[in-house]
Amino acid sequence: MSIIDWFAKREKNTVDTTEKLNIPGHLWIKCDHCQEILFQKDLKDNAHVCPKCGFHFRMVAMDRLALIFDPASFVPEDENLGPTDFLSFSDSESYTDRIRKAQAKTKRQDAVVSGMATLNHNPISVAVMDFSYMGGSMGSVVGEKITRTIERGLAKRCPVVVFTSSGGARMQEGIMSLMQMAKTSGALDLLGRAGIPYVSVLCDPTTGGTSASFAILGDFNFAEPGALISFAGPRVIEQTIRQKLPDGFQRAEFLLSHGMVDRVVDRRELRATLSLVLDMVWGCPAV
Amino acid sequence: MKLLPFEKPLGELYEKIEQLKTLSRESDIDLSSEIKKIEKRAEAVREDIYQNLTPSQVLQIARHPNRPDSLSFFRLISEDFIELHGDRAFGDDPAIVGGLGRIDGRRVMWIGHQKGHDTKENIRRNFGMPNPEGYRKALRLMQMANKFGLPIVTLIDTPGAYPGIEAEERGQAEAIARNLREMMGFGVPIVTFVIGEGGSGGALGIGVANRVYMLENAVYSVISPEGCASILFRDAKQADIAAKNLKITAKDIVGLGVADGIIPEPLGGAHHDWSSVSLAIKAQILRDLAEMSTQTPETLRQSRYAKFRAMGVFTS
Ligand SMILES: [Zn+2]
């Protein structure tokens, strides 16, 4: 989903799937894909993947960290970094108000969680984007935290793993959001020179400025099944070329067949896949 | 020359002057003092218009069909320009051009987005909106420059990378991202000028430089004001307000520390005098290349990273 589609969808349906999951007392949920009624607990025990059809629900950052890394191994960093309305940007709502609302809703400063974790007791510098915070859009804080995540990998000489989910650059920070693409990609040049592996896990959705920078530059690009991954959003393309887009266009499987990702990996096998490739290139044996 | 909408009062005065001149010629009446008066007024109106341009008026100048284009700048600024084609993988994208040239004897690799001046040429150039093979051609030429130790000069002028089915299939995101990473690592000086429209990732894809300059009426933006308006204001007609909010003008971009300086244009815009703008760009290139010629590849790399590393505004 591009940021445009996200806004369009938000008009129609203000409650997204993950929010439904978080409402206490709601014990069941309907699968968006096969319409099966699922118990919330069954879904959670199955890595938020529909047991019937395999549909991958969006996941909140902390659940994802718990699923992939060693139990309780995650230590957050840079939690104090927060956004500021330095352009005095105001549309129907001021950026300051949008920040306040997003922070209240997600209980975090901005759209990414980062820090150190371990995988089979091997240290990993990790970042997870949070789509529920202003569509996971990348402004100064996201760019800075991703860059620091890469630089931590460089300083500690450990692999870097980033989970992306983002509608693209954050318009409310104007040109500064665009420059985060150069900053994050540039940090990856340093990491690459140092011979340290970088894994990008592309989750639904990864579009715009995020897809055109650190998200697509992994030594390994792994995509979650069905994830929308694109530079230009489907709506923008449809408006430009004035024709309907083919089924499955810009989905993870489409990117696989066009050579843009290494593998489409079922979330339930993601930990094993990460462990295997990192052991192959870096020597992170699963103990 | 095409007059922009906000130049209309000026157009009317110019028309009146022409009418009076014709009348004076045909009727033998001396109207010279009358004509002079209107000319004086036109001059005042002209200065008033151009000294108080709104961001969306600047945007119109940046998009003016007669604004000088990359290939013309290459030829006006350098001797022996030779264009080089193709990405060696898929094709040759007419929306990005590049090649070798000599500027006062200094050899450089030129890269630039290429727009046309009329509909036919614009269709051929896809209105300056590159496909992935354009970014890959640019990368190939920049790698060649890096290999032979030649400085790279890039000219930005695009509404953005092309949003099309084939562009997505061939990896538009990957092509841009790779350029951002690779440009950061080159051991030769890189100088960038935003000469017209600096549209989003499609612009930045050839813009990771040691020195970045804005032409006086160029713009640089994370999204087109029209695109921003249709998303945030749900109305593309609010583009004027979006343009103000986004802070896209040369002054804004320099103020935010994203560009290092402004290349002045003649009153009314670069389209009125291509050669004076060429001379100003040339002088800036020569100053920067002289300064950077003594720096080691490692210093050039490090200072380029430090420049972009410092970008971002946040609280902590
Ligand atoms: Zn299902």
Side-chain angles (χ1 to χ4, degrees):
Chain A
M1 191 185 310
S2 75
I3 198 93
I4 295 177
D5 299 318
W6 176 67
F7 272 96
K9 193 183 165 202
R10 202 184 51 163
E11 282 177 67
K12 278 184 252 146
N13 179 11
T14 48
V15 182
D16 71 23
T17 325
T18 35
E19 278 177 312
K20 271 186 244 163
L21 274 173
N22 290 334
I23 299 168
H26 275 235
L27 295 174
W28 53 265
I29 187 163
K30 194 156 114 189
C31 174
D32 288 348
H33 194 245
C34 72
Q35 318 300 320
E36 180 83 352
I37 306 292
L38 306 165
F39 278 107
Q40 195 182 309
K41 187 180 176 302
D42 289 350
L43 190 62
K44 193 166 185 194
D45 290 347
N46 201 40
H48 298 275
V49 175
C50 174
K52 188 165 174 234
C53 75
F55 177 76
H56 282 51
F57 286 73
R58 282 196 192 133
M59 258 179 119
V60 298
M62 294 318 280
D63 285 351
R64 192 176 277 288
L65 288 162
L67 178 75
I68 302 294
F69 297 99
D70 299 339
S73 71
F74 178 69
V75 180
E77 297 267 9
D78 304 321
E79 280 183 298
N80 55 330
L81 301 195
T84 168
D85 182 15
F86 56 94
L87 297 182
S88 305
F89 195 104
S90 190
D91 47 275
S92 55
E93 213 176 319
S94 74
Y95 181 36
T96 305
D97 285 345
R98 286 188 193 275
I99 291 171
R100 200 177 306 130
K101 280 187 189 165
Q103 287 178 338
K105 175 181 161 193
T106 60
K107 305 272 179 288
R108 69 177 94 263
Q109 288 275 321
D110 209 311
V112 69
V113 178
S114 61
M116 294 297 297
T118 64
L119 182 64
N120 309 310
H121 307 289
N122 302 292
I124 307 281
S125 179
V126 62
V128 185
M129 299 183 84
D130 182 353
F131 191 75
S132 63
Y133 188 111
M134 289 185 77
S137 55
M138 171 161 65
S140 299
V141 173
V142 170
E144 181 69 20
K145 287 182 79 167
I146 296 288
T147 303
R148 289 191 189 187
T149 300
I150 297 162
E151 288 174 340
R152 253 193 304 280
L154 201 56
K156 295 181 193 287
R157 287 202 66 81
C158 70
V160 176
V161 178
V162 176
F163 297 82
T164 63
S165 181
S166 167
R170 188 173 296 169
M171 287 174 280
Q172 291 88 346
E173 293 188 23
I175 195 73
M176 214 49 102
S177 297
L178 187 70
M179 294 302 134
Q180 302 311 307
M181 294 169 64
K183 182 162 114 181
T184 53
S185 303
L188 288 172
D189 174 60
L190 302 184
L191 193 75
R193 280 169 197 279
I196 298 170
Y198 167 54
V199 185
S200 175
V201 181
L202 297 101
C203 309
D204 186 61
T206 297
T207 69
T210 303
S211 75
S213 58
F214 59 91
I216 205 79
L217 290 175
D219 294 305
F220 304 97
N221 290 336
F222 295 137
E224 288 206 331
L228 179 75
I229 303 162
S230 71
F231 174 69
R235 266 179 29 131
V236 173
I237 297 177
E238 274 183 346
Q239 282 164 5
T240 307
I241 64 171
R242 297 180 195 290
Q243 66 188 71
K244 269 248 140 306
L245 298 171
D247 270 355
F249 181 63
Q250 300 178 319
R251 295 288 163 184
E253 298 73 15
F254 173 92
L255 272 89
L256 181 69
S257 72
H258 285 89
M260 296 301 151
V261 298
D262 290 278
R263 300 183 73 83
V264 175
V265 182
D266 188 300
R267 193 182 284 156
R268 293 162 290 188
E269 284 153 24
L270 197 49
R271 180 184 160 98
T273 304
L274 286 176
S275 301
L276 181 64
V277 298
L278 287 178
D279 186 36
M280 292 276 190
V281 299
W282 193 246
C284 291
V287 201
Chain B
M1 186 90 59
K2 184 195 158 199
L3 281 179
L4 298 165
F6 65 87
E7 293 172 318
K8 220 178 129 213
L10 203 54
E12 282 162 4
L13 288 172
Y14 286 153
E15 222 167 88
K16 211 169 200 177
I17 292 168
E18 279 313 305
Q19 279 169 0
L20 288 176
K21 277 183 180 164
T22 314
L23 185 67
S24 150
R25 248 197 324 273
E26 284 170 0
S27 63
D28 245 9
I29 309 166
D30 182 17
L31 293 167
S32 58
S33 73
E34 198 61 26
I35 291 170
K36 226 175 225 143
K37 230 198 260 164
I38 301 177
E39 276 175 342
K40 220 170 158 191
R41 206 163 111 223
E43 202 45 45
V45 168
R46 198 163 120 92
E47 283 193 15
D48 185 57
I49 288 176
Y50 294 116
Q51 274 160 14
N52 301 294
L53 290 172
T54 66
S56 63
Q57 288 171 340
V58 173
L59 183 64
Q60 291 172 51
I61 299 178
R63 289 172 177 166
H64 196 286
N66 297 114
R67 202 167 167 83
D69 57 279
S70 288
L71 280 172
S72 299
F73 273 135
F74 299 167
R75 295 194 176 107
L76 283 165
I77 294 169
S78 66
E79 312 99 60
D80 299 335
F81 172 70
I82 176 166
E83 187 175 358
L84 302 168
H85 293 272
D87 71 343
R88 299 293 192 273
F90 179 82
D92 182 43
D93 188 348
I96 287 194
V97 292
L100 294 162
R102 246 188 271 268
I103 307 177
D104 273 7
R106 272 181 198 276
R107 299 159 307 144
V108 303
M109 180 65 80
W110 284 112
I111 306 283
H113 299 102
Q114 184 66 27
K115 287 184 179 175
H117 297 291
D118 54 42
T119 309
K120 194 177 155 217
E121 182 69 359
N122 257 324
I123 289 169
R124 186 165 103 76
R125 301 288 181 184
N126 201 27
F127 298 84
M129 292 184 285
N131 276 286
E133 52 273 21
Y135 295 102
R136 291 177 181 134
K137 167 166 72 177
L139 180 61
R140 180 178 78 80
L141 297 179
M142 290 190 285
Q143 283 169 334
M144 188 204 289
N146 192 50
K147 175 174 167 183
F148 296 119
L150 306 180
I152 298 163
V153 183
T154 77
L155 305 183
I156 288 176
D157 189 15
T158 180
Y162 186 60
I165 293 182
E166 293 82 9
E168 295 288 315
E169 287 176 338
R170 297 197 288 273
Q172 188 74 286
E174 195 274 347
I176 292 170
R178 180 189 294 260
N179 280 17
L180 303 181
R181 185 186 65 197
E182 297 301 307
M183 284 187 87
M184 200 63 96
F186 291 140
V188 295
I190 308 178
V191 185
T192 289
F193 296 85
V194 185
I195 59 170
E197 261 186 300
S200 194
L204 185 62
I206 58 167
V208 183
N210 295 82
R211 307 278 163 85
V212 178
Y213 298 96
M214 300 285 296
L215 262 60
E216 189 179 344
N217 294 303
V219 296
Y220 205 174
S221 182
V222 67
I223 184 170
S224 74
E226 292 85 355
C228 177
S230 70
I231 298 170
L232 287 184
F233 301 83
R234 312 229 164 93
D235 177 8
K237 291 187 207 97
Q238 304 285 317
D240 287 9
I241 304 169
K244 254 186 217 117
N245 270 280
L246 285 164
K247 310 284 193 292
I248 61 176
T249 67
K251 239 185 220 152
D252 291 325
I253 300 300
V254 170
L256 288 162
V258 168
D260 301 288
I262 297 174
I263 307 296
E265 294 182 27
L267 196 69
H271 54 283
H272 289 290
D273 185 0
W274 291 19
S275 63
S276 77
V277 180
S278 300
L279 283 174
I281 294 176
K282 179 176 178 174
Q284 189 62 56
I285 295 172
L286 290 172
R287 267 197 298 279
D288 283 334
L289 293 190
E291 240 178 85
M292 287 189 277
S293 65
T294 54
Q295 296 177 0
T296 66
E298 197 46 41
T299 305
L300 289 165
R301 238 195 312 271
Q302 278 171 6
S303 59
R304 195 179 310 125
Y305 183 63
K307 176 189 182 72
F308 286 88
R309 181 69 188 82
M311 292 182 193
V313 183
F314 49 85
T315 60
S316 61

